[in-house]
Amino acid sequence: MDVDSEKARFDFVRRVQRETRVCIDRAIRESDRLRALLESSEFERDRLEKQLAAACDERDLLGQEVDRLRSSLRAMEAENEAMLEGYANFEAQTTNLANLYVATYRLHGAGDRDEVLDVIEEIVANLIGSEEVAVLGLDPATARVSVLRAAGVDPSTFEGVVPGVGRIGRALAFGQAFVRSEESGTDAAAMAISEDRGLSACIPLRVCGGVVGALAIYGLLPQKPGLEPIDHELLALLGEQAGVALYTASMLPDVIHAAPGGGGAG
Amino acid sequence: MKKILLVDDSKVALLSERLVLERSGLYKVVVAADGDEGLELASAEMPDLIVMDVIMPTMTGFEVCRALRANPQTRHIPVVLVTTRGEPCNVEEGYESGCNDYATKPVDGPELLRKIENLIG
């Protein structure tokens, strides 16, 4: 082997050694960089995992708070609904009381018998809801029945009324009130008596406990499905007050006539 | 306080509706006993709303409503007609006469207040 080729081999080996060292150094630096990066990533992962756990805890707490608020909202809504219902009931009761007041005030404010009968008709139409009404009078001495007012009903309907017979007759003779309800149904006995057909209510009109007449109400207005508790109260009031108002009104002309400065003073 | 004109030939209806409206504390009430007086008071008092019965002597509620609409001074006043007849044909005639809403007798106080509130609340 000649000297030149030996030197060339030596140079080649030295070059390979140098380049290998450079590569190794680079690999070591890259390894260090990657190890540092890995450590940093692991640290970041730990930090994020902790943050995630905290966020999950917070989410759970917020979920609980949302549940609590929802339940509180439901309770408030229920309370609000109950209050609205209570208010509506209060309003309805106040309106009912107002209607009772109106009925009493108007009945006793009427100046004569015709006006009392007008008021009864108006109360039945405007507060109860029927335009088919009759006011019957009963002479306690002779048991004779007379038609004082018939609106929306043929007065001849009452020609055959016999005190004690039928719903109207029982109201006149025994003071028995009748108010149609779902349970009333259609009983055959009532259907056999012409004046009882289609009767929604019949109440005796009283003065000092005695019966002086009856109020008969037939068909209700189309928008009125049936008689309600307030109607029962109004009917009871009419039973107690309308008779008295009729009686008082029939005496008024005599009272006015007899009073100083009245018609009789001349 | 807003002013409401009640027109009805029934004193029972007038008193009952008046109590409902005045008790609410929201309205001042003026009353008329028939259509003619209703028309006069509508022009003189210029109410914010009129609640009027349909069946009245001399002029029906429909006729009063048409007269109100024909008068430039009163044509804008909302009218709620109150009637014993709540059938669709009557309601339709009411709207054709120019009413804004309808209530049937016996008047439900809270419902009447809601209807008024919807129109002038």
Side-chain angles (χ1 to χ4, degrees), chain A residues 83-244:
Chain A
M83 280 178 73
L84 280 175
E85 197 178 325
Y87 178 72
N89 285 339
F90 171 75
E91 274 290 303
Q93 277 176 11
T94 315
T95 304
N96 294 346
L97 275 175
N99 284 346
L100 292 172
Y101 161 77
V102 169
T104 311
Y105 178 82
R106 289 293 304 139
L107 275 174
H108 293 292
D112 58 45
R113 203 179 73 156
D114 272 349
E115 197 180 340
V116 175
L117 291 167
D118 287 344
V119 170
I120 294 172
E121 198 181 320
E122 283 184 28
I123 289 169
V124 174
N126 290 285
L127 304 184
I128 294 176
S130 169
E131 290 183 321
E132 297 176 6
V133 59
V135 183
L136 306 177
L138 174 71
D139 184 337
T142 61
R144 191 175 152 271
V145 179
S146 57
V147 181
L148 304 180
R149 173 68 58 93
V153 194
D154 185 348
S156 67
T157 307
F158 308 98
E159 280 170 2
V161 173
V162 178
V165 179
R167 286 165 174 163
I168 295 176
R170 286 198 295 275
L172 288 166
F174 314 123
Q176 276 180 15
F178 164 76
V179 179
R180 178 172 295 286
S181 64
E182 283 178 19
E183 292 80 43
S184 302
T186 51
D187 77 69
M191 291 304 101
I193 296 165
S194 64
E195 68 268 18
D196 283 357
R197 284 185 209 131
L199 195 64
S200 288
C202 180
I203 50 157
L205 303 179
R206 298 171 187 276
V207 175
C208 300
V211 178
V212 296
L215 172 69
I217 297 172
Y218 289 86
L220 301 177
L221 294 173
Q223 64 272 16
K224 178 95 177 183
L227 293 170
E228 296 161 27
I230 176 58
D231 300 320
H232 292 226
E233 286 183 47
L234 275 165
L235 288 171
L237 182 139
L238 281 170
E240 293 301 323
Q241 305 293 323
V244 175

Side-chain angles (χ1 to χ4, degrees), chain B residues 66-77:
Chain B
R66 277 191 279 272
L68 287 166
R69 294 295 174 251
N71 179 351
Q73 199 191 348
T74 57
R75 70 184 332 149
H76 67 282
I77 302 173

Side-chain angles (χ1 to χ4, degrees), chain B:
Chain B
M1 193 178 278
K2 291 190 171 162
K3 193 191 288 180
I4 293 183
L5 170 62
L6 292 178
V7 188
D8 202 314
D9 61 313
S10 161
K11 287 180 182 168
V12 167
L14 279 180
L15 184 55
S16 166
E17 288 160 17
R18 182 180 193 150
L19 281 175
V20 167
L21 299 178
E22 287 186 341
R23 207 170 36 78
S24 74
L26 300 170
Y27 308 110
K28 182 184 170 194
V29 177
V30 185
V31 298
D34 57 39
D36 294 324
E37 192 184 353
L39 277 176
E40 271 174 41
L41 283 179
S43 295
E45 296 280 343
M46 290 308 292
D48 296 283
L49 182 139
I50 299 172
V51 176
M52 179 163 53
D53 187 23
V54 171
I55 300 162
M56 293 186 290
T58 68
M59 282 183 94
T60 68
F62 298 143
E63 289 167 334
V64 178
C65 203
R66 277 191 279 272
L68 287 166
R69 294 295 174 251
N71 179 351
Q73 199 191 348
T74 57
R75 70 184 332 149
H76 67 282
I77 302 173
V79 174
V80 178
L81 284 177
V82 182
T83 182
T84 50
R85 298 284 160 205
E87 291 99 338
C89 58
N90 291 308
V91 174
E92 201 175 315
E93 191 179 353
Y95 284 117
E96 277 170 9
S97 73
C99 83
N100 300 76
D101 207 343
Y102 229 96
T104 53
K105 291 186 179 186
V107 170
D108 177 330
E111 191 192 331
L112 179 64
L113 286 172
R114 272 195 298 277
K115 284 176 188 282
I116 292 171
E117 174 84 17
N118 284 342
L119 289 168
I120 58 168

Side-chain angles (χ1 to χ4, degrees), chain A residues 5-23:
Chain A
S5 63
E6 182 68 20
K7 187 175 181 305
R9 272 202 308 272
F10 181 75
D11 287 346
F12 174 75
V13 169
R14 289 295 297 267
R15 199 174 67 244
V16 168
Q17 280 177 339
R18 264 198 320 272
E19 286 175 1
T20 303
R21 188 170 297 118
V22 166
C23 276

